[in-house]
């Protein structure tokens, strides 16, 4: 997220009572765990890092029965880190989603789409039909959609997300 929103990351570090050095060290440990020759699978890594999930459930996607695991996120109390696994436990998706019972934003124009304000699902629901696009990295996602500007003029846009949280808009 620091690639897209360095100022917001600095604010978040202050709010969490930590600094850049600790952030870099945490990233170094994460990368070492991911790239280790005897690396655990993604779900095991999340459990090691985040502990047991606060919420678990099932979700049907087409003909497949998937498992859903969610963890709270201290920086964003109304969001959860969600991991979706398919048959055999393979991790299919991992991103931030709105917590059950939390009322998320209801964007109506581009002006309502501020960094870190919306999840992929919220933008897609606000501006149908949205089309998913491939992100520039494994944790990134793009959404193509048509939305009005503050003057009501519709235009085609691309929203970029990291871990499912809105980072920026490209015209």
């Amino acid at each position: 997220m620091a690639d897209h929103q360095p100022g917001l990351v600095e604010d978040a570090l202050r709010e969490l009572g930590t600094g850049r050095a600790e952030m870099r060290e945490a990233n170094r440990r994460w990368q070492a765990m991911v790239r280790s020759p005897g690396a655990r699978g993604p779900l095991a890594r999340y459990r090691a890092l985040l502990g047991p999930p606060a919420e678990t459930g099932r979700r049907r996607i087409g003909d497949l029965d998937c498992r859903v695991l969610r963890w709270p996120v201290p920086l964003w109390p109304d969001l959860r880190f969600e991991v979706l696994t398919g048959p055999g436990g393979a991790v299919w998706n991992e991103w931030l989603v709105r917590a059950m019972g939390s009322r998320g934003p209801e964007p109506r124009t581009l002006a309502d789409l501020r960094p870190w304000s919306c999840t992929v699902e919220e933008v897609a629901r606000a501006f149908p039909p949205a089309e998913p696009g491939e992100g520039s990295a494994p944790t990134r996602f793009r959404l193509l959609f048509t939305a009005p500007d503050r003057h009501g003029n519709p235009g085609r846009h691309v929203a970029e997300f990291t871990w499912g949280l809105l980072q920026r808009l490209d015209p």
Side-chain angles (χ1 to χ4, degrees):
M1 292 184 186
D3 294 347
H4 295 300
Q5 297 298 329
L8 291 177
V9 169
E10 288 297 328
D11 293 345
L13 290 172
R14 277 191 296 281
E15 186 175 330
L16 293 171
T18 191
R20 281 215 171 263
E22 291 88 354
M23 181 179 74
R24 281 191 297 274
E25 177 59 19
N27 184 59
R28 186 197 65 74
R29 286 192 318 265
W30 175 256
Q31 294 301 326
M33 190 180 346
V34 168
R35 289 172 172 66
S36 165
R40 305 180 219 182
L43 188 54
R45 287 192 299 264
Y46 289 127
R47 287 179 181 274
L49 180 69
L50 303 170
E55 305 167 28
T56 60
R58 310 239 23 108
R59 182 180 304 152
R60 192 117 178 116
I61 300 176
D63 293 339
L64 297 174
D65 189 30
C66 302
R67 188 165 177 218
V68 179
L69 301 98
R70 290 190 179 132
W71 288 266
V73 183
L75 188 59
W76 298 293
D78 59 338
L79 295 177
R80 299 292 178 265
F81 184 72
E82 178 183 270
V83 174
L84 182 67
T85 66
V91 172
W92 283 1
N93 196 32
E94 52 221 316
W95 62 7
L96 294 164
V97 298
R98 194 69 50 191
M100 299 270 189
S102 291
R103 183 178 166 103
E106 296 178 13
R108 301 217 187 321
T109 70
L110 287 179
D112 298 329
L113 298 177
R114 294 175 316 285
W116 293 15
S117 67
C118 300
T119 64
V120 171
E121 180 184 18
E122 291 161 346
V123 175
R125 188 177 43 236
F127 305 108
E131 303 167 33
E134 189 172 329
S136 59
T139 61
R140 295 185 180 172
F141 187 86
R142 287 186 176 166
L143 198 63
L144 293 78
F145 63 98
T146 300
D149 63 18
R150 63 186 71 207
H151 305 293
N153 302 318
R156 194 80 172 137
H157 302 279
V158 177
E160 292 197 37
F161 299 84
T162 300
W163 295 107
L165 194 61
L166 179 64
Q167 298 299 311
R168 68 180 184 179
L169 296 173
D170 286 338

